[in-house]
Amino acid sequence: QVQVVESGGGLVQAGGSLRLSCVASGSIRSINEMSWYRQAPGNQRELVALISSGGLTNYEDSVKGRFTISRDNAKNTVYLQMNSLKPEDTAVYYCQMNVNTIVPGYLGSYWGQGTQVTVSS
């Protein structure tokens, strides 16, 4: 069993910064891709940023140059540094990880419960 928990959301003014964290725990052998998604009211969930096990990154166009994804493999943790925040960044942010588990020994996709980010104008 694997648990994924996000933290770091909150309310910030436009132009401000927030740092999201997401940690996985449980029966973990290794973690492949780690990703951040977001979902605003009335919208579909969208991929914001992804980081591979080797550190390669990919970003949604609207956040390029403002957001930075990073990971700490020793801590099974992924971060999302969000700078120059805009009101349109307001959403629930979800962490997703592709985890190779020890027991029963398979690759599974695990999601956190989400953390609210609200950017005021």
Side-chain angles (χ1 to χ4, degrees), residues 45-88:
R45 191 172 298 189
E46 64 176 358
L47 176 65
V48 175
L50 175 150
I51 185 166
S52 72
S53 58
L56 296 177
T57 59
N58 193 28
Y59 296 93
E60 194 270 328
D61 285 345
S62 70
V63 308
K64 287 180 180 177
R66 299 189 297 123
F67 290 10
T68 302
I69 189 171
S70 60
R71 62 190 288 166
D72 185 334
N73 293 326
K75 296 181 179 180
N76 293 329
T77 299
V78 61
Y79 305 98
L80 186 68
Q81 178 66 44
M82 305 185 293
N83 298 329
S84 302
L85 283 161
K86 304 175 181 180
E88 50 264 44

Side-chain angles (χ1 to χ4, degrees), residues 1-4 95-101 103-104 106-112:
Q1 193 70 284
V2 175
Q3 297 78 41
V4 176
C95 172
Q96 184 271 335
M97 297 188 185
N98 294 328
V99 180
N100 294 291
T101 61
V103 179
Y106 64 86
L107 177 63
S109 175
Y110 295 89
W111 291 82

